[in-house]
Amino acid sequence: MVATKPDKTGMEWIEKLAEYGFDYAELPIAQLMELSDGDFETLKKRLKATGIQCETGNNLFPVTMRLTGPDTNIETIKEYAEKAFFKEASLGVEYCVFGSGPAKNVPDGFPKEKGLSQVVSMLHEIAGIAQKNGIGIVIEPLRKEECNLINTFEEGVELAKAVNEENVKVLIDFYHLTEEKESVSHIVKDGREFLRHVHIANPVGRVYPKVFTEADYGPFIEALHTVGYDARISCEAYSPNGFDKDAPAAVEFFHKYFV
């Protein structure tokens, strides 16, 4: 969803999600953590009233929290994770998306290998916190323009293997895959074991998908079918024409090609 209010959660569209036939909401975790207790309870009531559940959450860490570099503090990270996963569980969230490009971007002059090691250790530490709340973590590869660490599904799988925790798997985002020119063969190779969540957007403008011919969706969809992926797909995109115009078209697109 496209957030239009100062809280940047996108919760203003919850009722519209139900109206247009979406199955669930994916809300930004770092922004939800900034809500007052009262506003958080209001969110829970709105979700319950519409029948829309917040099954996934993205943007796990705020941009101000350092996950790599000399200024990381694992105790601060764990304290945040305890609160975040507890709150997410209270919404019914099953998977939290670990993209968090600004937080995990390796600072200039800091060894990238050491930054990667820090992320592996951090995920080890928070996987148990997520597990006790009944939550899985999905690693989101991001294009190089947004982060200099974990840019492809293939690299995400290698990270998940290094972490070696049952509840730490990988997400594939069609936009980032397209931007990185990554082969869908990587999905076919490791998707059955590691793929647990999908994001999609029309890569031309990173907008809501509408028609099959606007992008090269075919190989991507075929790869998902090949590995038997039949779980959630979130639309993570901009809405230049307005949510009321773009959202219904996106729902129709999903039903036609993914259901």
Side-chain angles (χ1 to χ4, degrees):
M1 296 182 294
V2 180
T4 61
K5 303 297 183 182
D7 61 33
K8 298 181 180 180
T9 65
M11 75 165 83
E12 63 269 22
W13 300 110
I14 288 172
E15 288 77 13
K16 290 290 186 178
L17 288 181
E19 179 182 341
Y20 294 139
F22 286 92
D23 296 319
Y24 68 96
E26 180 170 317
L27 300 176
I29 300 164
Q31 282 69 32
L32 294 186
M33 290 290 287
E34 294 295 318
L35 294 178
S36 68
D37 290 344
D39 286 343
F40 190 74
E41 288 303 313
T42 297
L43 166 63
K44 290 167 71 172
K45 290 176 182 178
R46 290 178 70 173
L47 289 167
K48 184 176 181 180
T50 59
I52 291 289
Q53 189 165 323
C54 183
E55 296 184 4
T56 57
N58 56 38
N59 195 29
L60 178 54
F61 292 103
V63 299
T64 54
M65 185 165 289
R66 292 303 316 149
L67 306 180
T68 61
D71 300 322
T72 60
N73 185 318
I74 191 60
E75 294 306 317
T76 299
I77 293 168
K78 287 165 62 177
E79 182 180 348
Y80 172 86
E82 288 277 4
K83 296 175 182 177
F85 290 133
F86 179 80
K87 273 197 166 185
E88 291 295 285
S90 75
L91 292 178
V93 167
E94 297 181 28
Y95 282 101
C96 288
V97 176
F98 171 52
S100 304
K104 78 169 186 282
N105 196 67
V106 181
D108 291 341
F110 193 83
K112 190 169 290 186
E113 296 78 11
K114 188 172 182 180
L116 179 60
S117 178
Q118 288 176 318
V119 171
V120 171
S121 297
M122 180 275 296
L123 286 172
H124 268 303
E125 293 282 354
I126 70 169
I129 301 172
Q131 184 66 51
K132 74 179 182 181
N133 285 284
I135 287 175
I137 299 169
V138 283
I139 298 160
E140 180 180 28
L142 303 171
R143 63 182 184 143
K144 291 184 182 69
E145 287 81 357
E146 296 181 33
C147 189
N148 61 12
L149 197 66
I150 313 301
N151 306 118
T152 65
F153 181 75
E154 185 177 42
E155 292 172 349
V157 168
E158 290 305 309
L159 175 56
K161 288 179 179 178
V163 175
N164 194 29
E165 296 285 352
E166 184 59 35
N167 65 325
V168 178
K169 300 298 182 182
V170 190
L171 174 155
I172 188 69
D173 186 312
F174 180 69
Y175 171 74
H176 293 293
L177 176 135
T178 302
E179 286 286 293
E180 289 298 311
K181 298 179 172 57
E182 184 177 12
S183 172
V184 296
S185 65
H186 296 158
I187 301 174
V188 174
K189 178 176 180 286
D190 291 308
R192 195 173 296 275
E193 181 178 358
F194 287 97
L195 182 62
R196 292 296 182 273
H197 190 39
V198 171
H199 284 170
I200 194 167
N202 174 0
V204 182
R206 200 176 187 178
V207 297
Y208 276 54
K210 293 180 180 178
V211 296
F212 191 74
T213 55
E214 69 194 8
D216 193 18
Y217 296 118
F220 179 71
I221 294 171
E222 184 177 351
L224 296 182
H225 289 323
T226 298
V227 299
Y229 185 82
D230 61 356
R232 301 171 189 85
I233 299 175
S234 293
C235 183
E236 189 178 65
Y238 297 111
S239 180
N241 300 312
F243 189 78
D244 287 308
K245 291 184 178 179
D246 290 337
V251 170
E252 184 177 347
F253 178 88
F254 287 143
H255 284 171
K256 188 170 183 178
Y257 297 109
F258 291 98
V259 177

